[in-house]
PDB file of all heavy atoms in Angstrom:
ATOM      1  N   VAL F   1      54.164 198.419 -28.471  1.00  0.00           N
ATOM      2  CA  VAL F   1      53.417 199.353 -29.327  1.00  0.00           C
ATOM      3  C   VAL F   1      54.291 200.561 -29.666  1.00  0.00           C
ATOM      4  O   VAL F   1      54.337 201.010 -30.820  1.00  0.00           O
ATOM      5  CB  VAL F   1      52.100 199.789 -28.643  1.00  0.00           C
ATOM      6  CG1 VAL F   1      51.456 200.948 -29.376  1.00  0.00           C
ATOM      7  CG2 VAL F   1      51.136 198.613 -28.560  1.00  0.00           C
ATOM      8  N   LEU F   2      55.010 201.088 -28.681  1.00  0.00           N
ATOM      9  CA  LEU F   2      55.907 202.213 -28.945  1.00  0.00           C
ATOM     10  C   LEU F   2      57.016 201.828 -29.927  1.00  0.00           C
ATOM     11  O   LEU F   2      57.425 202.642 -30.759  1.00  0.00           O
ATOM     12  CB  LEU F   2      56.504 202.739 -27.645  1.00  0.00           C
ATOM     13  CG  LEU F   2      55.566 203.540 -26.749  1.00  0.00           C
ATOM     14  CD1 LEU F   2      56.251 203.880 -25.425  1.00  0.00           C
ATOM     15  CD2 LEU F   2      55.108 204.808 -27.449  1.00  0.00           C
ATOM     16  N   ALA F   3      57.497 200.592 -29.837  1.00  0.00           N
ATOM     17  CA  ALA F   3      58.503 200.120 -30.792  1.00  0.00           C
ATOM     18  C   ALA F   3      57.920 200.113 -32.207  1.00  0.00           C
ATOM     19  O   ALA F   3      58.592 200.520 -33.163  1.00  0.00           O
ATOM     20  CB  ALA F   3      58.994 198.733 -30.408  1.00  0.00           C
ATOM     21  N   ALA F   4      56.667 199.678 -32.330  1.00  0.00           N
ATOM     22  CA  ALA F   4      56.012 199.685 -33.639  1.00  0.00           C
ATOM     23  C   ALA F   4      55.831 201.107 -34.146  1.00  0.00           C
ATOM     24  O   ALA F   4      56.017 201.382 -35.342  1.00  0.00           O
ATOM     25  CB  ALA F   4      54.663 198.972 -33.555  1.00  0.00           C
ATOM     26  N   VAL F   5      55.502 202.029 -33.260  1.00  0.00           N
ATOM     27  CA  VAL F   5      55.370 203.441 -33.646  1.00  0.00           C
ATOM     28  C   VAL F   5      56.714 203.977 -34.140  1.00  0.00           C
ATOM     29  O   VAL F   5      56.772 204.737 -35.115  1.00  0.00           O
ATOM     30  CB  VAL F   5      54.824 204.290 -32.466  1.00  0.00           C
ATOM     31  CG1 VAL F   5      54.949 205.776 -32.738  1.00  0.00           C
ATOM     32  CG2 VAL F   5      53.376 203.911 -32.180  1.00  0.00           C
ATOM     33  N   CYS F   6      57.797 203.554 -33.498  1.00  0.00           N
ATOM     34  CA  CYS F   6      59.135 203.973 -33.937  1.00  0.00           C
ATOM     35  C   CYS F   6      59.438 203.449 -35.335  1.00  0.00           C
ATOM     36  O   CYS F   6      60.060 204.151 -36.143  1.00  0.00           O
ATOM     37  CB  CYS F   6      60.201 203.500 -32.952  1.00  0.00           C
ATOM     38  SG  CYS F   6      60.190 204.381 -31.392  1.00  0.00           S
ATOM     39  N   LEU F   7      59.000 202.220 -35.636  1.00  0.00           N
ATOM     40  CA  LEU F   7      59.207 201.687 -36.984  1.00  0.00           C
ATOM     41  C   LEU F   7      58.423 202.485 -38.017  1.00  0.00           C
ATOM     42  O   LEU F   7      58.914 202.755 -39.116  1.00  0.00           O
ATOM     43  CB  LEU F   7      58.816 200.209 -37.032  1.00  0.00           C
ATOM     44  CG  LEU F   7      59.730 199.254 -36.270  1.00  0.00           C
ATOM     45  CD1 LEU F   7      59.170 197.838 -36.304  1.00  0.00           C
ATOM     46  CD2 LEU F   7      61.141 199.288 -36.815  1.00  0.00           C
ATOM     47  N   ILE F   8      57.213 202.888 -37.657  1.00  0.00           N
ATOM     48  CA  ILE F   8      56.415 203.727 -38.553  1.00  0.00           C
ATOM     49  C   ILE F   8      57.090 205.091 -38.724  1.00  0.00           C
ATOM     50  O   ILE F   8      57.104 205.657 -39.821  1.00  0.00           O
ATOM     51  CB  ILE F   8      54.968 203.867 -38.028  1.00  0.00           C
ATOM     52  CG1 ILE F   8      54.263 202.517 -38.104  1.00  0.00           C
ATOM     53  CG2 ILE F   8      54.196 204.930 -38.794  1.00  0.00           C
ATOM     54  CD1 ILE F   8      52.933 202.452 -37.372  1.00  0.00           C
ATOM     55  N   ALA F   9      57.678 205.598 -37.647  1.00  0.00           N
ATOM     56  CA  ALA F   9      58.400 206.879 -37.730  1.00  0.00           C
ATOM     57  C   ALA F   9      59.596 206.763 -38.666  1.00  0.00           C
ATOM     58  O   ALA F   9      59.870 207.689 -39.443  1.00  0.00           O
ATOM     59  CB  ALA F   9      58.852 207.316 -36.335  1.00  0.00           C
ATOM     60  N   ILE F  10      60.295 205.626 -38.628  1.00  0.00           N
ATOM     61  CA  ILE F  10      61.428 205.429 -39.532  1.00  0.00           C
ATOM     62  C   ILE F  10      60.951 205.461 -40.980  1.00  0.00           C
ATOM     63  O   ILE F  10      61.535 206.145 -41.824  1.00  0.00           O
ATOM     64  CB  ILE F  10      62.145 204.088 -39.242  1.00  0.00           C
ATOM     65  CG1 ILE F  10      62.808 204.127 -37.870  1.00  0.00           C
ATOM     66  CG2 ILE F  10      63.179 203.777 -40.321  1.00  0.00           C
ATOM     67  CD1 ILE F  10      63.272 202.770 -37.382  1.00  0.00           C
ATOM     68  N   LEU F  11      59.878 204.722 -41.254  1.00  0.00           N
ATOM     69  CA  LEU F  11      59.317 204.716 -42.607  1.00  0.00           C
ATOM     70  C   LEU F  11      58.918 206.122 -43.033  1.00  0.00           C
ATOM     71  O   LEU F  11      59.240 206.565 -44.141  1.00  0.00           O
ATOM     72  CB  LEU F  11      58.115 203.777 -42.673  1.00  0.00           C
ATOM     73  CG  LEU F  11      57.333 203.810 -43.991  1.00  0.00           C
ATOM     74  CD1 LEU F  11      58.175 203.268 -45.127  1.00  0.00           C
ATOM     75  CD2 LEU F  11      56.036 203.041 -43.850  1.00  0.00           C
ATOM     76  N   SER F  12      58.246 206.840 -42.145  1.00  0.00           N
ATOM     77  CA  SER F  12      57.800 208.207 -42.461  1.00  0.00           C
ATOM     78  C   SER F  12      58.981 209.123 -42.730  1.00  0.00           C
ATOM     79  O   SER F  12      58.962 209.922 -43.683  1.00  0.00           O
ATOM     80  CB  SER F  12      56.967 208.773 -41.316  1.00  0.00           C
ATOM     81  OG  SER F  12      55.852 207.960 -41.065  1.00  0.00           O
ATOM     82  N   LEU F  13      60.023 209.019 -41.914  1.00  0.00           N
ATOM     83  CA  LEU F  13      61.205 209.854 -42.114  1.00  0.00           C
ATOM     84  C   LEU F  13      61.883 209.562 -43.445  1.00  0.00           C
ATOM     85  O   LEU F  13      62.315 210.482 -44.150  1.00  0.00           O
ATOM     86  CB  LEU F  13      62.204 209.650 -40.966  1.00  0.00           C
ATOM     87  CG  LEU F  13      61.839 210.323 -39.656  1.00  0.00           C
ATOM     88  CD1 LEU F  13      62.660 209.741 -38.512  1.00  0.00           C
ATOM     89  CD2 LEU F  13      62.065 211.827 -39.759  1.00  0.00           C
ATOM     90  N   ILE F  14      61.951 208.300 -43.812  1.00  0.00           N
ATOM     91  CA  ILE F  14      62.577 207.942 -45.085  1.00  0.00           C
ATOM     92  C   ILE F  14      61.752 208.469 -46.248  1.00  0.00           C
ATOM     93  O   ILE F  14      62.294 209.049 -47.198  1.00  0.00           O
ATOM     94  CB  ILE F  14      62.762 206.415 -45.181  1.00  0.00           C
ATOM     95  CG1 ILE F  14      63.835 205.972 -44.184  1.00  0.00           C
ATOM     96  CG2 ILE F  14      63.135 205.983 -46.596  1.00  0.00           C
ATOM     97  CD1 ILE F  14      63.942 204.472 -44.011  1.00  0.00           C
ATOM     98  N   VAL F  15      60.435 208.318 -46.186  1.00  0.00           N
ATOM     99  CA  VAL F  15      59.563 208.808 -47.268  1.00  0.00           C
ATOM    100  C   VAL F  15      59.636 210.330 -47.374  1.00  0.00           C
ATOM    101  O   VAL F  15      59.766 210.884 -48.471  1.00  0.00           O
ATOM    102  CB  VAL F  15      58.103 208.334 -47.055  1.00  0.00           C
ATOM    103  CG1 VAL F  15      57.147 209.050 -47.986  1.00  0.00           C
ATOM    104  CG2 VAL F  15      58.013 206.829 -47.226  1.00  0.00           C
ATOM    105  N   VAL F  16      59.581 211.024 -46.229  1.00  0.00           N
ATOM    106  CA  VAL F  16      59.662 212.488 -46.249  1.00  0.00           C
ATOM    107  C   VAL F  16      61.007 212.942 -46.797  1.00  0.00           C
ATOM    108  O   VAL F  16      61.092 213.900 -47.575  1.00  0.00           O
ATOM    109  CB  VAL F  16      59.402 213.071 -44.833  1.00  0.00           C
ATOM    110  CG1 VAL F  16      59.753 214.535 -44.765  1.00  0.00           C
ATOM    111  CG2 VAL F  16      57.953 212.855 -44.439  1.00  0.00           C
ATOM    112  N   GLN F  17      62.070 212.242 -46.434  1.00  0.00           N
ATOM    113  CA  GLN F  17      63.396 212.609 -46.944  1.00  0.00           C
ATOM    114  C   GLN F  17      63.476 212.375 -48.453  1.00  0.00           C
ATOM    115  O   GLN F  17      64.078 213.178 -49.175  1.00  0.00           O
ATOM    116  CB  GLN F  17      64.476 211.822 -46.214  1.00  0.00           C
ATOM    117  CG  GLN F  17      65.866 212.301 -46.543  1.00  0.00           C
ATOM    118  CD  GLN F  17      66.935 211.591 -45.737  1.00  0.00           C
ATOM    119  OE1 GLN F  17      66.687 210.545 -45.148  1.00  0.00           O
ATOM    120  NE2 GLN F  17      68.118 212.156 -45.709  1.00  0.00           N
ATOM    121  N   MET F  18      62.879 211.298 -48.944  1.00  0.00           N
ATOM    122  CA  MET F  18      62.867 211.049 -50.389  1.00  0.00           C
ATOM    123  C   MET F  18      62.105 212.149 -51.122  1.00  0.00           C
ATOM    124  O   MET F  18      62.572 212.669 -52.140  1.00  0.00           O
ATOM    125  CB  MET F  18      62.232 209.688 -50.680  1.00  0.00           C
ATOM    126  CG  MET F  18      63.107 208.519 -50.307  1.00  0.00           C
ATOM    127  SD  MET F  18      62.307 206.895 -50.374  1.00  0.00           S
ATOM    128  CE  MET F  18      61.268 206.963 -51.783  1.00  0.00           C
ATOM    129  N   ILE F  19      60.951 212.512 -50.583  1.00  0.00           N
ATOM    130  CA  ILE F  19      60.151 213.574 -51.209  1.00  0.00           C
ATOM    131  C   ILE F  19      60.913 214.894 -51.178  1.00  0.00           C
ATOM    132  O   ILE F  19      60.910 215.644 -52.158  1.00  0.00           O
ATOM    133  CB  ILE F  19      58.770 213.690 -50.516  1.00  0.00           C
ATOM    134  CG1 ILE F  19      57.939 212.437 -50.794  1.00  0.00           C
ATOM    135  CG2 ILE F  19      58.036 214.945 -50.968  1.00  0.00           C
ATOM    136  CD1 ILE F  19      56.664 212.334 -49.983  1.00  0.00           C
ATOM    137  N   ALA F  20      61.572 215.165 -50.068  1.00  0.00           N
ATOM    138  CA  ALA F  20      62.358 216.400 -49.968  1.00  0.00           C
ATOM    139  C   ALA F  20      63.460 216.427 -51.023  1.00  0.00           C
ATOM    140  O   ALA F  20      63.695 217.470 -51.655  1.00  0.00           O
ATOM    141  CB  ALA F  20      62.949 216.536 -48.568  1.00  0.00           C
ATOM    142  N   ARG F  21      64.120 215.323 -51.239  1.00  0.00           N
ATOM    143  CA  ARG F  21      65.177 215.275 -52.262  1.00  0.00           C
ATOM    144  C   ARG F  21      64.603 215.488 -53.649  1.00  0.00           C
ATOM    145  O   ARG F  21      65.203 216.158 -54.484  1.00  0.00           O
ATOM    146  CB  ARG F  21      65.923 213.948 -52.195  1.00  0.00           C
ATOM    147  CG  ARG F  21      66.897 213.884 -51.073  1.00  0.00           C
ATOM    148  CD  ARG F  21      67.714 212.614 -51.118  1.00  0.00           C
ATOM    149  NE  ARG F  21      68.571 212.524 -49.952  1.00  0.00           N
ATOM    150  CZ  ARG F  21      69.192 211.436 -49.585  1.00  0.00           C
ATOM    151  NH1 ARG F  21      69.055 210.333 -50.288  1.00  0.00           N
ATOM    152  NH2 ARG F  21      69.956 211.428 -48.517  1.00  0.00           N
ATOM    153  N   TRP F  22      63.451 214.865 -53.938  1.00  0.00           N
ATOM    154  CA  TRP F  22      62.842 214.997 -55.262  1.00  0.00           C
ATOM    155  C   TRP F  22      62.413 216.433 -55.541  1.00  0.00           C
ATOM    156  O   TRP F  22      62.388 216.869 -56.676  1.00  0.00           O
ATOM    157  CB  TRP F  22      61.636 214.075 -55.404  1.00  0.00           C
ATOM    158  CG  TRP F  22      61.979 212.616 -55.403  1.00  0.00           C
ATOM    159  CD1 TRP F  22      63.174 212.043 -55.734  1.00  0.00           C
ATOM    160  CD2 TRP F  22      61.114 211.546 -55.055  1.00  0.00           C
ATOM    161  NE1 TRP F  22      63.114 210.679 -55.604  1.00  0.00           N
ATOM    162  CE2 TRP F  22      61.846 210.331 -55.186  1.00  0.00           C
ATOM    163  CE3 TRP F  22      59.794 211.469 -54.624  1.00  0.00           C
ATOM    164  CZ2 TRP F  22      61.299 209.089 -54.932  1.00  0.00           C
ATOM    165  CZ3 TRP F  22      59.262 210.219 -54.370  1.00  0.00           C
ATOM    166  CH2 TRP F  22      60.004 209.048 -54.526  1.00  0.00           C
ATOM    167  N   THR F  23      62.018 217.149 -54.496  1.00  0.00           N
ATOM    168  CA  THR F  23      61.552 218.533 -54.678  1.00  0.00           C
ATOM    169  C   THR F  23      62.667 219.555 -54.497  1.00  0.00           C
ATOM    170  O   THR F  23      62.424 220.746 -54.575  1.00  0.00           O
ATOM    171  CB  THR F  23      60.407 218.849 -53.695  1.00  0.00           C
ATOM    172  OG1 THR F  23      60.876 218.684 -52.361  1.00  0.00           O
ATOM    173  CG2 THR F  23      59.201 217.948 -53.952  1.00  0.00           C
ATOM    174  N   GLY F  24      63.877 219.077 -54.210  1.00  0.00           N
ATOM    175  CA  GLY F  24      65.001 219.995 -54.052  1.00  0.00           C
ATOM    176  C   GLY F  24      65.093 220.621 -52.669  1.00  0.00           C
ATOM    177  O   GLY F  24      65.887 221.540 -52.457  1.00  0.00           O
ATOM    178  N   GLU F  25      64.297 220.163 -51.745  1.00  0.00           N
ATOM    179  CA  GLU F  25      64.332 220.685 -50.379  1.00  0.00           C
ATOM    180  C   GLU F  25      65.325 219.886 -49.536  1.00  0.00           C
ATOM    181  O   GLU F  25      65.799 218.830 -49.946  1.00  0.00           O
ATOM    182  CB  GLU F  25      62.934 220.591 -49.740  1.00  0.00           C
ATOM    183  CG  GLU F  25      61.880 221.428 -50.427  1.00  0.00           C
ATOM    184  CD  GLU F  25      62.157 222.915 -50.358  1.00  0.00           C
ATOM    185  OE1 GLU F  25      62.615 223.393 -49.303  1.00  0.00           O
ATOM    186  OE2 GLU F  25      61.927 223.600 -51.369  1.00  0.00           O
ATOM    187  N   VAL F  26      65.604 220.389 -48.360  1.00  0.00           N
ATOM    188  CA  VAL F  26      66.505 219.708 -47.440  1.00  0.00           C
ATOM    189  C   VAL F  26      65.759 219.455 -46.137  1.00  0.00           C
ATOM    190  O   VAL F  26      65.094 220.344 -45.613  1.00  0.00           O
ATOM    191  CB  VAL F  26      67.766 220.567 -47.161  1.00  0.00           C
ATOM    192  CG1 VAL F  26      68.656 219.897 -46.132  1.00  0.00           C
ATOM    193  CG2 VAL F  26      68.524 220.815 -48.448  1.00  0.00           C
ATOM    194  N   PHE F  27      65.861 218.226 -45.649  1.00  0.00           N
ATOM    195  CA  PHE F  27      65.279 217.880 -44.355  1.00  0.00           C
ATOM    196  C   PHE F  27      66.452 217.577 -43.427  1.00  0.00           C
ATOM    197  O   PHE F  27      66.896 216.445 -43.313  1.00  0.00           O
ATOM    198  CB  PHE F  27      64.359 216.672 -44.510  1.00  0.00           C
ATOM    199  CG  PHE F  27      63.666 216.247 -43.246  1.00  0.00           C
ATOM    200  CD1 PHE F  27      63.719 216.986 -42.072  1.00  0.00           C
ATOM    201  CD2 PHE F  27      62.938 215.074 -43.220  1.00  0.00           C
ATOM    202  CE1 PHE F  27      63.083 216.581 -40.919  1.00  0.00           C
ATOM    203  CE2 PHE F  27      62.289 214.652 -42.065  1.00  0.00           C
ATOM    204  CZ  PHE F  27      62.368 215.406 -40.924  1.00  0.00           C
ATOM    205  N   PRO F  28      66.954 218.612 -42.753  1.00  0.00           N
ATOM    206  CA  PRO F  28      68.159 218.424 -41.938  1.00  0.00           C
ATOM    207  C   PRO F  28      67.918 217.474 -40.754  1.00  0.00           C
ATOM    208  O   PRO F  28      66.912 217.571 -40.073  1.00  0.00           O
ATOM    209  CB  PRO F  28      68.494 219.833 -41.447  1.00  0.00           C
ATOM    210  CG  PRO F  28      67.247 220.617 -41.594  1.00  0.00           C
ATOM    211  CD  PRO F  28      66.433 219.967 -42.666  1.00  0.00           C
ATOM    212  N   GLY F  29      68.847 216.575 -40.572  1.00  0.00           N
ATOM    213  CA  GLY F  29      68.788 215.687 -39.426  1.00  0.00           C
ATOM    214  C   GLY F  29      67.944 214.446 -39.615  1.00  0.00           C
ATOM    215  O   GLY F  29      67.857 213.623 -38.697  1.00  0.00           O
ATOM    216  N   ALA F  30      67.321 214.251 -40.777  1.00  0.00           N
ATOM    217  CA  ALA F  30      66.449 213.083 -40.989  1.00  0.00           C
ATOM    218  C   ALA F  30      67.181 211.759 -40.766  1.00  0.00           C
ATOM    219  O   ALA F  30      66.640 210.880 -40.090  1.00  0.00           O
ATOM    220  CB  ALA F  30      65.813 213.133 -42.371  1.00  0.00           C
ATOM    221  N   PRO F  31      68.390 211.586 -41.288  1.00  0.00           N
ATOM    222  CA  PRO F  31      69.077 210.311 -41.031  1.00  0.00           C
ATOM    223  C   PRO F  31      69.359 210.089 -39.538  1.00  0.00           C
ATOM    224  O   PRO F  31      69.272 208.964 -39.045  1.00  0.00           O
ATOM    225  CB  PRO F  31      70.393 210.432 -41.808  1.00  0.00           C
ATOM    226  CG  PRO F  31      70.146 211.470 -42.838  1.00  0.00           C
ATOM    227  CD  PRO F  31      69.148 212.408 -42.230  1.00  0.00           C
ATOM    228  N   ASN F  32      69.671 211.158 -38.828  1.00  0.00           N
ATOM    229  CA  ASN F  32      69.914 211.027 -37.388  1.00  0.00           C
ATOM    230  C   ASN F  32      68.641 210.635 -36.662  1.00  0.00           C
ATOM    231  O   ASN F  32      68.662 209.755 -35.793  1.00  0.00           O
ATOM    232  CB  ASN F  32      70.458 212.334 -36.806  1.00  0.00           C
ATOM    233  CG  ASN F  32      71.830 212.672 -37.347  1.00  0.00           C
ATOM    234  OD1 ASN F  32      72.430 211.895 -38.074  1.00  0.00           O
ATOM    235  ND2 ASN F  32      72.329 213.835 -36.995  1.00  0.00           N
ATOM    236  N   TYR F  33      67.515 211.273 -37.006  1.00  0.00           N
ATOM    237  CA  TYR F  33      66.251 210.930 -36.351  1.00  0.00           C
ATOM    238  C   TYR F  33      65.842 209.492 -36.665  1.00  0.00           C
ATOM    239  O   TYR F  33      65.320 208.793 -35.799  1.00  0.00           O
ATOM    240  CB  TYR F  33      65.141 211.896 -36.774  1.00  0.00           C
ATOM    241  CG  TYR F  33      65.356 213.303 -36.283  1.00  0.00           C
ATOM    242  CD1 TYR F  33      65.287 214.391 -37.153  1.00  0.00           C
ATOM    243  CD2 TYR F  33      65.637 213.564 -34.948  1.00  0.00           C
ATOM    244  CE1 TYR F  33      65.487 215.683 -36.704  1.00  0.00           C
ATOM    245  CE2 TYR F  33      65.847 214.851 -34.494  1.00  0.00           C
ATOM    246  CZ  TYR F  33      65.770 215.912 -35.379  1.00  0.00           C
ATOM    247  OH  TYR F  33      65.977 217.180 -34.930  1.00  0.00           O
TER     248      TYR F  33
END
């Protein structure tokens, strides 16, 4: 279950990073997380 939560976290991080790029914001460390 925790592994599945980590996969959801990866998806969330990628989506948040995409939104941040579209809005001109920076999400530092997203690729590392």
Side-chain angles (χ1 to χ4, degrees):
V1 169
L2 286 174
V5 168
C6 288
L7 291 175
I8 293 169
I10 293 168
L11 173 67
S12 302
L13 284 164
I14 291 170
V15 168
V16 168
Q17 189 176 16
M18 287 170 38
I19 293 170
R21 283 186 185 166
W22 293 336
T23 60
E25 297 296 320
V26 176
F27 182 8
N32 294 354
Y33 293 129

